[in-house]
Amino acid sequence: GIHLNIDNYQELERVDALVSKMNANLKGTIGVRINPLVGAGKIAALSVSTGKSKFGIPCPAEGDERNKLITEILKRDWITGLHVHTGSGGYGLKQLCHGVRVAVDLCLELNKLSGKKKISILDIGGGLSVNYKSNEISPTFYEYSA
């Protein structure tokens, strides 16, 4: 099987219809890409975590939009993953980590609300921008992992 990340509500409807036709013969795993809404990086054109981004379903900290996202995920047993791609557009470590934190918190909330380990896959994309000014590795791998 393959792993598929659904990027928006229109894709969710399409995949929902396909999964229904498959009669539980799903061989892969399916996740939902969230937009953690942590703002733009230094390179606006590559920033995918703003409210204007076309990528991912927005995941605000609270409110109707968050409640809709949670409801749509919980009513589909076949969704077992979350994907977050904070972006590569000049984000610093704090912004990148904040994006991952949003995904982890949503994962924990979904698992608690479902009463089981519903979300078993956390797919993290993005990363730090290339250091074009020197050959120095900045931040170091240790700083990135801390």
Side-chain angles (χ1 to χ4, degrees):
I2 64 164
H3 179 77
L4 171 73
N5 285 315
I6 295 169
D7 195 57
N8 54 57
Y9 287 118
Q10 293 80 14
E11 283 184 11
L12 181 60
E13 289 176 15
R14 288 183 199 139
V15 173
D16 204 12
L18 290 170
V19 170
S20 294
K21 287 180 184 178
M22 295 176 73
N23 296 322
N25 288 323
L26 190 62
K27 304 233 187 284
T29 55
I30 300 176
V32 171
R33 178 178 179 167
I34 64 164
N35 176 345
L37 300 171
V38 297
K42 293 177 184 173
I43 306 170
L46 299 177
S47 295
V48 295
S49 294
T50 67
K52 294 182 179 184
S53 175
K54 66 180 182 177
F55 298 108
I57 298 174
C59 184
E62 57 187 26
D64 291 342
E65 201 168 3
R66 182 181 183 83
N67 293 338
K68 178 182 178 183
L69 174 60
I70 289 170
T71 299
E72 294 298 322
I73 292 172
L74 287 176
K75 71 182 184 182
R76 293 169 172 89
D77 286 337
W78 45 265
I79 294 177
T80 58
L82 288 179
H83 171 72
V84 63
H85 181 117
T86 302
S88 304
Y91 288 89
L93 283 176
K94 286 185 180 180
Q95 262 182 307
L96 289 171
C97 290
H98 185 209
V100 172
R101 178 84 260 164
V102 169
V104 168
D105 288 347
L106 179 60
C107 177
L108 293 172
E109 184 174 358
L110 289 165
N111 287 347
K112 182 177 180 181
L113 289 170
S114 69
K116 61 182 180 181
K117 189 175 181 181
K118 175 172 181 42
I119 304 299
S120 59
I121 300 165
L122 184 56
D123 180 17
I124 302 169
L128 296 171
S129 296
V130 173
N131 183 356
Y132 292 106
K133 296 180 181 178
S134 76
N135 288 329
E136 177 185 351
I137 297 174
S138 176
T140 65
F141 291 114
Y142 176 78
E143 291 168 329
Y144 189 54
S145 67

